[in-house]
Amino acid sequence: MIVLTCLSAVAVFGSPAALSNGAASIRGRTMGRPLRNLRYGINRPNMIRKASKDDIPDVLRDAAEQVSSKADEIFQGTDQAASQAKNKASSKADQLLQQKNEGLGDVGINTAPFQPENPENSAIGTTGGTSPTGKFWDPVGFTKGATPNKLKRFRESEITHGRVGMLGALGWLVQEKFSPLFGGDHTPAAVNQFEEIQSRAPYFWYPVLLGVAIAEIARARIGWEDPATGGLWDLKEDYEPGNIGFDPLNIRPKDPQEYEDLKNKELNNGRLAMLSLAGFMAQELKNGKPIMDNLMDARDAAASA
């Protein structure tokens, strides 16, 4: 029985020498697959486990070579990306320098006033465009591409905030010298009086806010479209920005040119008042002294210089 088994094995596999050579061939093929798999990034641990102990250093050496090759590729890609970024930055710098030479700002913003093709035919005309800014002054280009209704809304906002600014600048100077609140017993700098009112009369602002809300609703009903039927932020087509029909002293001129001059004066003074209020706040927050005291100190310093 044993003899028959051996003869069958020889018949199937060949001679013992051939069988030995076949085992070596199988081992070679088994080792070759993991190496090829590592080379192409395919992880097959079950094939690596078939390698003999003597072949393990070769596997590790092959893996180390592949890691080194991959690292070279990564560093090469990094160098290419850095070179591309450098070239892009250099190109952008040349572009900004060219823009600056052509009269544009350092960051590509056109410092020349934006002028529409026909400012006289725009939704707001040339009102507010006085010397030295020109007929239509818009250095940043907010109105570029704006619809006529949006342009009118910009002007409405400018007029409204300018009026608040004029009243605020006047009230700022007056209340630092005279104020009926608390019998005149308050901090001298107006910038601190808001917090003082809140601490000494917490309910003071409720009627103030109610009055502001009533005034704003009344203004909206005059100039704005009904949100239910028109646009949410659209002004009425026949509404003139700033003209809410409030003229208790009847000072509006009948002559169109005089009326245009009056509107220009209101806009320019409103712009000045908004800038002045910002300056008042910044100066008093810096040293805590009233504006008039700062003006007196500046006058004395100029006289002694």
Side-chain angles (χ1 to χ4, degrees):
M1 185 65 181
I2 295 175
V3 174
L4 291 175
T5 302
C6 292
L7 290 175
S8 300
V10 171
V12 174
F13 296 105
S15 65
L19 185 61
S20 177
N21 293 335
S25 176
I26 292 172
R27 185 171 67 249
R29 288 196 301 272
T30 305
M31 281 302 301
R33 288 173 183 172
L35 293 178
R36 287 195 302 273
N37 293 333
L38 283 173
R39 185 174 297 111
Y40 293 102
I42 303 175
N43 184 15
R44 294 186 180 180
N46 59 333
M47 289 188 173
I48 297 177
R49 284 198 295 269
K50 292 180 181 179
S52 65
K53 294 181 180 180
D54 296 335
D55 295 325
I56 292 299
D58 295 335
V59 176
L60 295 177
R61 187 181 301 109
D62 188 75
E65 291 177 356
Q66 293 187 43
V67 171
S68 177
S69 177
K70 189 65 176 177
D72 292 340
E73 293 179 5
I74 293 175
F75 284 121
Q76 184 179 2
T78 303
D79 293 340
Q80 292 177 354
S83 178
Q84 292 176 358
K86 181 179 179 181
N87 294 335
K88 186 176 181 180
S90 177
S91 176
K92 184 64 176 178
D94 294 339
Q95 181 182 359
L96 292 177
L97 181 61
Q98 182 180 0
Q99 289 177 347
K100 185 175 181 180
N101 294 334
E102 293 175 355
L104 302 180
D106 293 339
V107 294
I109 296 177
N110 194 342
T111 55
F114 166 69
Q115 295 283 351
E117 295 183 359
N118 297 306
E120 292 83 359
N121 298 331
S122 68
I124 59 175
T126 58
T127 303
T130 57
S131 180
T133 59
K135 291 184 177 181
F136 200 99
W137 190 71
D138 183 13
V140 185
F142 284 125
T143 60
K144 189 174 183 179
T147 63
N149 202 285
K150 188 175 183 179
L151 196 60
K152 288 174 61 177
R153 194 166 70 247
F154 284 162
R155 175 50 53 85
E156 173 74 15
S157 178
E158 182 182 27
I159 293 175
T160 302
H161 287 87
R163 290 168 177 173
V164 173
M166 287 186 283
L167 291 174
L170 178 62
W172 192 288
L173 298 175
V174 170
Q175 69 184 9
E176 287 188 341
K177 293 298 181 181
F178 168 77
S179 176
L181 298 177
F182 314 121
D185 181 20
H186 53 73
T187 56
V191 73
N192 298 321
Q193 293 178 10
F194 290 95
E195 297 179 359
E196 186 176 5
I197 291 175
Q198 181 66 26
S199 61
R200 297 176 65 173
Y203 301 106
F204 172 81
W205 294 112
Y206 292 160
V208 173
L209 292 176
L210 178 61
V212 171
I214 294 174
E216 286 297 303
I217 292 174
R219 185 169 69 95
R221 290 176 62 85
I222 295 174
W224 265 258
E225 293 281 1
D226 187 350
T229 58
L232 181 60
W233 304 107
D234 289 346
L235 296 175
K236 295 179 180 179
E237 292 295 332
D238 57 348
Y239 174 68
E240 179 186 6
N243 186 7
I244 58 176
F246 181 77
D247 185 18
L249 301 180
N250 196 26
I251 61 175
R252 175 177 174 173
K254 304 299 182 183
D255 182 71
Q257 185 58 47
E258 293 181 2
Y259 181 48
E260 183 74 11
D261 293 341
L262 185 63
K263 290 192 293 184
N264 286 330
K265 292 176 182 178
E266 181 184 32
L267 279 169
N268 288 333
N269 284 283
R271 293 164 180 169
L272 177 61
M274 288 187 282
L275 293 174
S276 299
L277 269 181
F280 290 174
M281 296 178 192
Q283 183 62 44
E284 291 194 358
L285 286 173
K286 183 178 185 300
N287 58 15
K289 298 174 63 176
I291 288 301
M292 294 306 298
D293 291 351
N294 281 292
L295 291 176
M296 294 300 103
D297 292 344
R299 184 195 61 180
D300 296 339
S304 61

